[in-house]
Amino acid sequence: MEIIIIRMNILVLLDGSYKEEFTLRYALYRALPERDTVFILTVFSEGVLYYYDAVPKVKDLLRHDIKGHIDRATKIVREEGKGIDAYVLEEEGDIYKVLERVTKREAIDIIYAPPSYKAIVNSRINCPIAIIPGTILVPLDHEDLPEGSVDLLATEAKMSSSSIYLLGIVPIHIYSANEREELEEIKKKTTANVKSIGKRLARAHIQSREALCAGFPDEEIIKTFRELSASIILFPQG
């Protein structure tokens, strides 16, 4: 039997904030050693200098600041990215044009970006984008989760420094008007399940928000994902 290994090219955006370190660490956590490649991108835009023309050597100061962030990023990779190929890319220009150029040139499979870059999620960049730290959306039904699945949720939240949003979904469309009692029972079980998982996460020191909705699961998931501007959707029930 032939084993096909799918390699991933991961792009991490640096923005000069302290949150970029969470973004980078999560990308390293997601990357597989000896297989995936992580590209660390900084973008210098002279547009930020518009109001600072009167400040001497401001461009040099900004470039020096960017270098400091690159140095910290490479240190994190050395210490926490054992076996992972990582490259620093320094680009100039408009962030959207740079991302379009880099994602094509390096065949990027996914982009991880800190919250300051949230606007790029709605851009025309043809590549999946996750904002880290952010919000992890977890759709749930009335069936309880095994302990391993709750541990997975807790690990994802910790590694991405993100919050969790538990969304209980009641599929009312599969119940007829004569099945109101069954529907009410499912609503109660779903509500209890969401609260139970929230308590189990709290014991792992992970705070979560909870909500209950009724409708077509796919539609409710997409709607909530957009309303929250969530970063990731995790389906712990498979």
Side-chain angles (χ1 to χ4, degrees):
M1 181 179 65
E2 182 182 5
I3 298 177
I4 299 176
I5 299 176
I6 300 176
R7 303 180 185 277
M8 286 193 67
N9 291 331
I10 300 170
L11 182 66
V12 181
L13 278 170
L14 301 186
D15 67 346
S17 73
Y18 74 93
K19 291 185 178 180
E20 69 183 16
E21 295 187 12
F22 297 124
T23 312
L24 176 57
R25 286 192 167 95
Y26 183 74
L28 295 174
Y29 161 69
R30 275 294 176 192
L32 291 181
E34 313 301 337
R35 191 198 73 170
D36 298 338
T37 301
V38 173
F39 295 90
I40 301 167
L41 174 64
T42 65
V43 181
F44 180 83
S45 175
E46 293 198 1
V48 302
L49 303 176
Y50 183 80
Y51 296 103
Y52 299 98
D53 289 339
V55 181
K57 299 183 179 179
V58 66
K59 186 185 296 186
D60 293 338
L61 290 172
L62 288 173
R63 289 190 184 281
H64 179 75
D65 183 63
I66 290 173
K67 183 180 182 303
H69 287 273
I70 292 173
D71 291 343
R72 283 191 290 276
T74 53
K75 183 175 183 291
I76 290 172
V77 171
R78 284 197 305 270
E79 295 175 350
E80 304 177 27
K82 304 297 184 184
I84 298 172
D85 289 333
Y87 302 92
V88 173
L89 306 176
E90 298 182 62
E91 300 281 341
E92 295 190 15
D94 175 77
I95 181 64
Y96 297 100
K97 293 180 180 178
V98 168
L99 283 177
E100 288 178 0
R101 183 168 68 244
V102 171
T103 52
K104 290 179 182 177
R105 187 183 70 210
E106 308 298 345
I108 299 299
D109 296 294
I110 188 167
I111 299 171
Y112 291 119
S116 66
Y117 282 118
K118 184 175 287 188
I120 68 174
V121 173
N122 298 318
S123 68
R124 296 182 178 179
I125 296 168
N126 189 26
C127 185
I129 301 168
I131 302 300
I132 304 295
T135 301
I136 300 173
L137 174 61
V138 182
L140 299 168
D141 58 20
H142 63 284
E143 296 183 358
D144 194 12
L145 294 180
E147 201 60 40
S149 295
V150 178
D151 290 342
L152 170 65
L153 295 180
T155 299
E156 284 289 324
K158 289 176 181 177
M159 295 305 297
S160 64
S161 300
S162 297
S163 62
I164 286 184
Y165 192 93
L166 302 174
L167 179 66
I169 304 174
V170 179
I172 58 173
H173 62 285
I174 66 174
Y175 295 93
S176 67
N178 298 323
E179 296 176 306
R180 291 182 179 178
E181 290 185 7
E182 291 88 342
L183 177 58
E184 286 303 316
E185 185 64 22
I186 290 296
K187 285 182 180 179
K188 290 178 181 178
K189 287 184 177 180
T190 303
T191 301
N193 188 35
V194 170
K195 291 187 178 298
S196 172
I197 293 169
K199 290 178 181 178
R200 290 158 69 184
L201 287 170
R203 288 198 292 271
H205 308 291
I206 302 296
Q207 296 300 313
S208 62
R209 291 179 290 165
E210 304 167 3
L212 187 72
C213 65
F216 291 91
D218 290 352
E219 292 179 359
E220 295 300 326
I221 291 169
I222 292 172
K223 182 178 72 174
T224 305
F225 183 82
R226 289 173 175 168
E227 289 175 353
L228 294 175
S229 295
S231 306
I232 303 169
I233 303 175
L234 282 184
F235 295 92
Q237 290 156 317

